Amino acid sequence: MLILAFESSCDETAAAVVENGRIIRSDAILSQVDTHALYGGVVPEIASRKHIEAIAGLTDKALAGAGVGKSGIDAVAVTYGPGLIGALLVAVNFAKSAAYALGKPLIPVHHLRGHIAANYLAFPELEPPFLALCISGGNSMLVDVAGYTRMSIMGATRDDAAGECFDKIARVLGLPYPGGKPMDDLAQGGDPHKYRLPRAKLDHDLDMSFSGLKTAAVNLIHNAQQKGEALDLPSLAASVAAAVSDELVPRAMEAARRSGRRVLAAAGGVAANRTIRADLERACQENGIKLYLPPLRLCGDNGAMIGSQAYYEYLAGVRGDAGLNAYANLEI
Ligand code: KG4
């Protein structure tokens, strides 16, 4: 089954063709990152306008890359939330029109379910049940994936997402947007113990918090600037990465212990972080947990992950109709 899948929830426009949920036939992406970098963050209206400009061309590219014509597509899938509402609406409306014109089923897909499904594209043997650590620019959560379409949240951030924490601290340091990757690069060779940064303690102990860490790091930078003190930037970046990782990795291990799951998959843009990947590898080895880390190109937003999850949503009977809408907030 060939699914033509669309994604426009934030600042990447993507169209992909995926076969039977597992094989990427094509994956066309256009990132708007250079445009938003001028403003230090995503400007929602600009994002929507850029999606409108790009989506038809990317569709042609995805179909050509897959070597299929429009009539060779069996279904059309689209991210319908969560994300920036104006941005989401572009692909939702385009996908609705495509499904209508082609007379094919329409499959709405949750963005984070897509991030989790990126692992199905990289690892043919991976099947539910497993635990997923979803860490992106807008969300951070531990999800129990009981089945391809049966998921429950075991813990989630109470405030900022892990990616937002990296991005905001990077911005104060004057690093380019999005700051996660530049922070990761800066941290290489730094001393992760040099700066003392807070770790959150919450009553529901699988929940996470990143706003205290973000504020502490920003205050530390401002203090040093006001006093004219030089900061050891690689060590500061390494200390931030260690603090974010400490927020995530022990909780993932505790979630595995409580749920009895022996398989953990990482998902989302922040899963590209080298400190988090190394800490997850170490912790999973110590606890006898099989770990799946998606390749970097599948960690960020893409259309293929939506096409993968769409296949399983289709098998479960999920269909969108002509009234399908987009949602800024959406339960997984
Ligand atoms: O999953 P994604 O592409 O978009 C969302 O759905 O949010 O994630 C983007 C986030 C940004 O916050 C970006 O700074 C972060 O992923 N990111 C990283 C790294 N690469 C991307 N954060 C830490 N280390 C990285 N290497």
Side-chain angles (χ1 to χ4, degrees), residues 7 9-12 82 111-112 115 135-139 161-168 170 176-185 241 244 267-277 296 298-302 305:
E7 153 68 40
S9 64
C10 189
D11 59 350
E12 263 100 24
H111 182 70
L112 284 184
H115 270 304
I135 38 178
S136 68
N139 296 277
E164 198 175 336
C165 178
F166 279 120
D167 293 345
K168 291 280 159 59
Y177 173 85
K181 170 83 167 59
M183 285 282 285
D184 194 6
D185 292 342
V244 171
V270 182
N273 184 269
R274 278 166 274 183
T275 303
I276 297 169
R277 289 173 91 93
L296 300 192
L298 287 173
C299 286
D301 289 349
N302 62 85
M305 68 186 199

Side-chain angles (χ1 to χ4, degrees), residues 45-279:
E45 188 185 328
I46 295 176
S48 311
R49 290 175 181 277
K50 291 257 163 206
H51 288 312
I52 281 187
E53 288 170 9
I55 198 159
L58 286 165
T59 307
D60 288 342
K61 200 170 163 190
L63 289 170
V68 283
K70 295 187 186 83
S71 56
I73 294 300
D74 299 302
V76 179
V78 65
T79 304
Y80 74 121
L84 300 171
I85 194 70
L88 286 162
L89 283 167
V90 174
V92 165
N93 210 34
F94 193 87
K96 269 163 77 166
S97 309
Y100 180 72
L102 298 174
K104 301 292 180 189
L106 176 67
I107 310 163
V109 176
H110 189 287
H111 182 70
L112 284 184
R113 288 187 176 210
H115 270 304
I116 294 170
N119 284 281
Y120 303 141
L121 297 165
F123 309 111
E125 74 282 11
L126 176 63
E127 286 177 359
F130 60 88
L131 269 185
L133 177 63
C134 299
I135 38 178
S136 68
N139 296 277
S140 297
M141 56 177 71
L142 274 161
V143 180
D144 183 34
V145 185
Y148 284 107
T149 58
R150 283 188 298 123
M151 297 176 207
S152 56
I153 297 172
M154 294 192 71
T157 182
R158 295 272 181 95
D159 38 59
D160 296 337
E164 198 175 336
C165 178
F166 279 120
D167 293 345
K168 291 280 159 59
I169 297 168
R171 185 168 165 173
V172 175
L173 287 174
L175 297 171
Y177 173 85
K181 170 83 167 59
M183 285 282 285
D184 194 6
D185 292 342
L186 187 60
Q188 304 309 305
D191 172 7
H193 305 292
K194 177 149 183 179
Y195 294 99
R196 283 168 57 91
L197 293 167
R199 272 67 169 162
K201 286 201 171 52
L202 300 162
D203 46 356
H204 178 16
D205 58 0
L206 290 181
D207 280 351
M208 313 142 203
S209 165
F210 296 96
S211 72
L213 165 60
K214 180 184 76 180
T215 306
V218 169
N219 285 345
L220 192 152
I221 297 162
H222 284 157
N223 264 329
Q225 284 168 346
Q226 280 160 8
K227 291 180 188 156
E229 285 171 8
L231 283 167
D232 173 356
L233 293 179
S235 295
L236 179 59
S239 301
V240 169
V244 171
S245 188
D246 277 354
E247 202 65 24
L248 298 169
V249 178
R251 286 183 171 93
M253 294 306 110
E254 180 58 17
R257 194 189 64 74
R258 285 187 203 173
S259 63
R261 303 284 187 229
R262 306 315 295 159
V263 177
L264 174 69
V270 182
N273 184 269
R274 278 166 274 183
T275 303
I276 297 169
R277 289 173 91 93
D279 289 351

